[in-house]
Amino acid sequence: MALTIITFIIVLSLLVIAHEFGHFIVAKRTGIKVEEFAIGFPPRIWSKKRGETEYIINAIPLGGYVKMLGEVEKSSDPRAFENQSRIVRFSVAVAGVVMNIVLAWIILSIGFMVGMSPIVSNYRDIPGKIISSEIIIAGVLKDSVAESAGLKQMDKLIAIENLGITHEFGSVEELSSYTKSHKGESVIVKYYRDGAEGQKNITLGTGDSPLGVSAINNGVVRATWYKAPYIALRETYEITKYTAEFVRDLFVKIFTHGKVSDQVGGPVQIFVATGTAVRVGVMAVLQLVAILSVNLAIINILPLPALDGGRILFIIVEAIARKRIIKEQVENVIHTIGFALLFLVIALVTYNDIAKLIK
């Protein structure tokens, strides 16, 4: 539990630091006065002023912020955020999202150099050396022979023994072909769980899924240092695309059916996922960071008040109208209300997470 808590704090801090550093570095480079760079939310634990910026670490590691002059209050200072050109304000607003995508790309680049399973791509399509290959149970079908036997999600299938002959499989397709050609037969399924080998006596079913599981091919691939960044870039693009499609479908369901998918999780669900990743290994934790970083980027680019996408929307409207239609004070009030609503949503999602755990 202690390791999970420490990893959880490190993961969230890394995501926030990357995001806020994007805003920070672009603001600094464009001459905007940055008053505060904070990780976490108050109460304050530590702070140090260097130059004109105060660097702060707060107690609640669930966010962070960069405070720029003129971002909230009106200022006549030429270095204030509100007094910058539209292109400068747009660049600062979008920089956090870009840094989260870059973080995911860097992590995946390192992962493929060392040896890693692709998150969304087929490992056979990765131009590198396949270090290992295994079949992992992604899900156990309800009321199936696998469920009755006690097979579980994340079990690694080793082989199936039938009439004293052991059959090993190089892919899910080979496993599926074998079980379908041996329907109704009694077999011994061998597997790994939590580092230990086990086996189950199972009588294969007679339906479309005789074993009663959905499985995935999981291969660890190592790429050369000069190919890894390109492979990681392609993987980052695919993760971003799938995440954007999921968020789109989520909002469609919310507005058409008025309910949130059970797949949506908040801080508690992230904590649970962190615990699972810690048990799997360092590479799983890095993959989790990459996925969360892309998720943070997609969520932040949404055109909603309090998010980067909300600020970008106001800038785009201003660019189209060639003047500020909404006064700075009104815009700040809108973002403040949006920030409060955002916290309410986080609280509701957290409650939903806890309810699911208790259930």
Side-chain angles (χ1 to χ4, degrees):
M1 178 63 77
L3 182 58
T4 298
I5 293 172
I6 293 171
T7 305
F8 175 72
I9 293 173
I10 292 173
V11 166
L12 285 187
S13 297
L14 182 60
L15 295 174
V16 171
I17 289 172
H19 185 88
E20 298 302 329
F21 181 75
H23 295 310
F24 172 80
I25 195 65
V26 174
K28 283 283 191 181
R29 291 289 183 181
T30 54
I32 296 172
K33 183 179 179 180
V34 179
E35 298 178 323
E36 294 180 3
F37 182 98
I39 303 301
F41 293 119
R44 184 175 300 188
I45 297 177
W46 174 91
S47 67
K48 181 178 179 63
K49 190 160 187 177
R50 187 173 179 180
E52 62 185 15
T53 304
E54 186 174 12
Y55 299 88
I56 302 167
I57 296 179
N58 290 319
I60 304 175
L62 298 178
Y65 60 89
V66 170
K67 183 182 177 183
M68 295 171 281
L69 177 66
E71 186 180 13
V72 177
E73 75 288 347
K74 191 171 179 62
S75 174
S76 58
D77 192 315
R79 295 184 62 202
F81 175 79
E82 66 171 345
N83 296 328
Q84 306 304 307
S85 66
R86 286 188 286 269
I87 188 64
V88 169
R89 284 183 283 127
F90 178 88
S91 300
V92 172
V94 80
V97 170
V98 172
M99 277 304 299
N100 277 127
I101 298 295
V102 170
L103 174 63
W105 171 67
I106 291 173
I107 287 175
L108 295 178
S109 295
I110 295 171
F112 282 118
M113 288 181 197
V114 176
M116 184 182 72
S117 301
I119 297 173
V120 293
S121 302
N122 189 320
Y123 72 94
R124 293 192 185 91
D125 297 331
I126 303 295
K129 180 181 179 181
I130 299 176
I131 301 173
S132 64
S133 176
E134 57 194 7
I135 298 173
I136 296 179
I137 295 178
V140 178
L141 303 182
K142 188 174 178 59
D143 300 325
S144 65
V145 294
E147 184 182 55
S148 300
L151 289 177
K152 295 182 178 180
Q153 185 182 43
M154 296 305 294
D155 284 349
K156 298 177 183 178
L157 294 177
I158 303 172
I160 291 180
E161 183 181 322
N162 185 18
L163 300 176
I165 301 174
T166 299
H167 303 268
E168 296 182 348
F169 307 99
S171 67
V172 171
E173 291 75 20
E174 290 179 13
L175 171 66
S176 177
S177 177
Y178 178 86
T179 57
K180 287 180 179 179
S181 63
H182 292 75
K183 290 181 179 181
E185 296 182 16
S186 296
V187 299
I188 299 174
V189 177
K190 299 180 179 181
Y191 63 93
Y192 272 117
R193 181 186 297 166
D194 297 328
E197 186 174 338
Q199 61 181 40
K200 300 287 185 182
N201 294 311
I202 292 177
T203 299
L204 295 174
T206 57
D208 293 333
S209 181
L211 184 56
V213 301
S214 59
I216 57 173
N217 295 313
N218 184 49
V220 176
V221 182
R222 180 186 296 149
T224 55
W225 65 268
Y226 57 88
K227 285 185 179 179
Y230 165 73
I231 297 169
L233 184 63
R234 189 174 65 182
E235 189 77 354
T236 302
Y237 168 77
E238 292 296 331
I239 295 171
T240 304
K241 184 179 72 173
Y242 284 125
T243 304
E245 289 173 352
F246 174 80
V247 173
R248 179 201 63 196
D249 294 342
L250 169 65
F251 278 92
V252 168
K253 288 181 180 178
I254 290 175
F255 289 112
T256 57
H257 301 290
K259 54 183 180 180
V260 179
S261 170
D262 289 336
Q263 293 178 288
V264 178
V268 174
Q269 198 64 33
I270 294 174
F271 179 80
V272 173
T274 301
T276 302
V278 167
R279 291 193 296 273
V280 174
V282 175
M283 201 56 67
V285 174
L286 292 178
Q287 288 182 321
L288 177 64
V289 173
I291 292 170
L292 290 177
S293 194
V294 171
N295 273 264
L296 182 60
I298 297 299
I299 294 298
N300 261 282
I301 203 65
L302 294 176
L304 302 173
L307 299 179
D308 294 334
R311 295 190 179 280
I312 292 170
L313 178 62
F314 281 113
I315 295 171
I316 292 174
V317 170
E318 180 186 325
I320 294 172
R322 297 189 177 182
K323 65 177 181 179
R324 288 195 174 182
I325 299 176
I326 303 173
K327 292 183 179 180
E328 293 89 339
Q329 295 90 334
V330 176
E331 182 180 335
N332 290 333
V333 170
I334 293 173
H335 287 304
T336 301
I337 295 173
F339 195 71
L341 292 174
L342 181 62
F343 262 92
L344 177 61
V345 170
I346 292 174
L348 290 173
V349 171
T350 302
Y351 171 80
N352 189 46
D353 286 345
I354 295 172
K356 283 191 289 186
L357 285 177
I358 293 174
K359 183 179 178 181

